[in-house]
Amino acid sequence: MSTKYAALNPTPRVLMGPGPSNVPPAVYRAMGLPLVGHLDPQFIALMEEVKQMLRDVMLTKNAMTFPVSGTGSAGMEFCCVNLIEPGDEALICINGVFGTRMTDVAQRCGALVTNVKAPWGRIIEPDDVAATLKTMKAPKLVGIVHAETSTGAWQPMEEISRIVHEHGALLLMDCVTSLGGCPVRVDDWQVDAAYSGTQKCLSCPPGLAPVTLGPRALEKATKRKTKVASWYFDVNLLASYWGQDRVYHHTAPVTMNYALREALRLVLEEGLENRWARHERNHRALKAGLEAIGITIASQEGHQLWPLNSATIPAGADDAAVRKALLQRYSLEIGGGLGELKGKTWRIGLMGESSREENVMLFLSGLGAVLNELGCKTGTAAALAAAREVYSR
Ligand SMILES: *Cc1c(COP(=O)(O)O)cnc(C)c1O
């Protein structure tokens, strides 16, 4: 029987936006492996491995570490819905889109939210957190984004963690864009709860949200006076599924877990330190190349993320036209600015598998050519030379 639908055949892209990043061949191969039941002993063994691999990558000993079924935002919802009881005071830090989203999620969980804000592109100042916590009666939770993907700001955690704990609150960290691309030290920083996503620096397709809850967070979640408002994300139920009992809760997306296991295996095979160093090097080369043609990194100096580079769009350049030309002619995707930064910045991701020397060089060549064609004179050769110089060090 004929059909009007052609076989699916997407053109491969160089994914240099804010996620998803490119997926390594080994991860695609893992996704083609035979499905088994989610309570099959083979899958149960895989669940145990994935939990341990996640602990190794998140640098934590937390027993409650596993992938929530859903994307990064599901990790955010999971943490908020379990750790917040209606009426709890929460402080959520906002310096971009994801702190704004976390505020919305926390409010939906019934939190009385106070915000500490910083201008988009800048980090949250510990002093501001300390001063605001002093004005609150009984702050229960402080939420903060480690790597603000909307702005490229890289938040230092240690000082803020100390302050949060002095006030007896739990620290919730969004490490969606940082995990696997720059240091994330859950235990060293005494982070009580953290969530991530698979499609950023872990280079796995979107679909799972690694989460970890430390002892204090777990105590809060298990000793609540009120039922967790979400059945799907209730850690008390998920614990019997991902723990020793294997009580059916939902059907874990088996293939996604194959993919995550393989992606985590690749991260650990490369080594965390090596992987971070690779992300740093490619960030430095990209930054040097952009600066050589007068394009600056928009986020705060000294706190610029390696996996996500927010570049100020040069005067006279047409944001959408440049991104469209890069996609059409180079099959290369970068992101536009979000929220306040729409039309002002490009977001150039160098995440996981996409963080490669050849991608940096391809992007700089393509950007130079496209800008010139669109009437914005730039010296492509200077950009390439500056990036090359970083690689030759
Ligand atoms: C991408 C991202 C999210 C949301 O993840 P989704 O997979 O899109 O649901 C949350 N926080 C940060 C910092 C992100 O970069």
Side-chain angles (χ1 to χ4, degrees), residues 76-93:
M76 188 188 285
E77 296 244 22
F78 166 86
C79 289
C80 288
V81 82
N82 281 292
L83 300 181
I84 294 169
E85 285 190 87
D88 280 358
E89 280 187 288
L91 185 155
I92 310 288
C93 302

Side-chain angles (χ1 to χ4, degrees), residues 56-83:
D56 293 345
V57 171
M58 298 177 113
L59 296 174
T60 181
K61 295 203 163 59
N62 291 338
M64 190 57 72
T65 304
F66 69 99
V68 165
S69 303
T71 65
S73 305
M76 188 188 285
E77 296 244 22
F78 166 86
C79 289
C80 288
V81 82
N82 281 292
L83 300 181

Side-chain angles (χ1 to χ4, degrees), residues 13-350:
R13 303 292 195 198
V14 177
L15 295 175
M16 293 179 70
S21 58
N22 285 119
V23 172
V27 172
Y28 285 129
R29 281 198 296 273
M31 296 179 79
L33 295 173
L35 201 65
V36 299
H38 73 122
L39 297 175
D40 185 304
Q42 297 182 86
F43 188 69
I44 286 173
L46 177 141
M47 289 163 93
E48 284 308 303
E49 285 180 331
V50 167
K51 288 195 291 183
Q52 188 51 48
M53 291 163 114
L54 278 177
R55 287 184 201 109
D56 293 345
V57 171
M58 298 177 113
L59 296 174
T60 181
K61 295 203 163 59
N62 291 338
M64 190 57 72
T65 304
F66 69 99
V68 165
S69 303
T71 65
S73 305
M76 188 188 285
E77 296 244 22
F78 166 86
C79 289
C80 288
V81 82
N82 281 292
L83 300 181
I84 294 169
E85 285 190 87
D88 280 358
E89 280 187 288
L91 185 155
I92 310 288
C93 302
I94 300 186
N95 57 348
V97 165
F98 294 102
T100 310
R101 181 177 300 178
M102 202 195 287
T103 298
D104 186 2
V105 172
Q107 284 169 338
R108 287 166 193 254
C109 297
L112 306 172
V113 176
T114 304
N115 290 123
V116 164
K117 295 191 181 179
W120 286 39
R122 300 195 66 82
I123 58 163
I124 299 292
E125 291 300 334
D127 288 351
D128 293 343
V129 173
T132 307
L133 281 172
K134 282 197 189 104
T135 68
M136 297 169 72
K137 264 197 245 114
K140 296 280 172 59
L141 177 114
V142 175
I144 192 159
V145 178
H146 182 222
E148 216 352 308
T149 321
S150 61
T151 71
W154 184 354
Q155 181 67 46
M157 293 299 304
E158 282 164 291
E159 167 111 30
I160 286 181
S161 172
R162 194 180 53 71
I163 294 165
V164 168
H165 293 123
E166 269 172 20
H167 286 268
L170 296 173
L171 177 61
L172 168 62
M173 174 175 76
D174 174 320
C175 57
V176 176
T177 281
S178 46
L179 192 68
C182 54
V184 171
R185 302 180 185 279
V186 168
D187 284 1
D188 283 357
W189 300 341
Q190 299 186 34
V191 173
D192 296 295
Y195 59 89
S196 191
T198 45
Q199 78 274 25
K200 314 265 168 118
C201 294
L202 298 178
S203 278
C204 183
L208 291 173
V211 298
T212 186
L213 298 184
R216 284 166 13 101
L218 208 52
E219 192 184 341
K220 168 79 185 181
T222 50
K223 300 207 171 131
R224 302 166 54 101
K225 286 176 220 75
T226 53
K227 241 184 181 183
V228 175
S230 163
W231 176 88
Y232 197 69
F233 290 138
D234 185 343
V235 71
N236 300 289
L237 304 175
L238 284 165
S240 345
Y241 181 52
W242 277 91
Q244 293 315 307
D245 309 346
R246 309 293 172 185
V247 177
Y248 165 64
H249 177 253
H250 67 294
T251 310
V254 172
T255 300
M256 282 313 305
N257 278 279
Y258 288 176
L260 179 59
R261 185 194 179 280
E262 188 61 13
L264 292 170
R265 193 185 66 75
L266 293 176
V267 171
L268 294 167
E269 186 177 80
E270 181 175 8
L272 290 177
E273 306 273 344
N274 292 338
R275 196 172 174 94
W276 299 334
R278 172 164 64 81
H279 281 79
E280 177 175 19
R281 191 171 158 84
N282 290 320
H283 157 76
R284 286 193 192 286
L286 176 70
K287 182 177 171 179
L290 288 172
E291 283 176 354
I293 53 172
I295 299 178
T296 54
I297 299 293
S299 51
Q300 186 174 344
E301 193 62 54
H303 300 284
Q304 296 171 348
L305 280 170
W306 300 334
L308 194 283
N309 302 269
S310 181
T312 308
I313 299 177
D318 179 337
D319 172 21
V322 168
R323 285 188 286 121
K324 189 171 162 201
L326 284 171
L327 191 66
Q328 284 181 343
R329 237 149 318 134
Y330 297 83
S331 209
L332 187 156
E333 177 183 276
I334 62 168
L338 270 189
E340 290 180 15
L341 297 173
K342 190 169 159 53
K344 297 185 181 147
T345 59
W346 287 314
R347 291 183 301 148
I348 306 148
L350 289 171

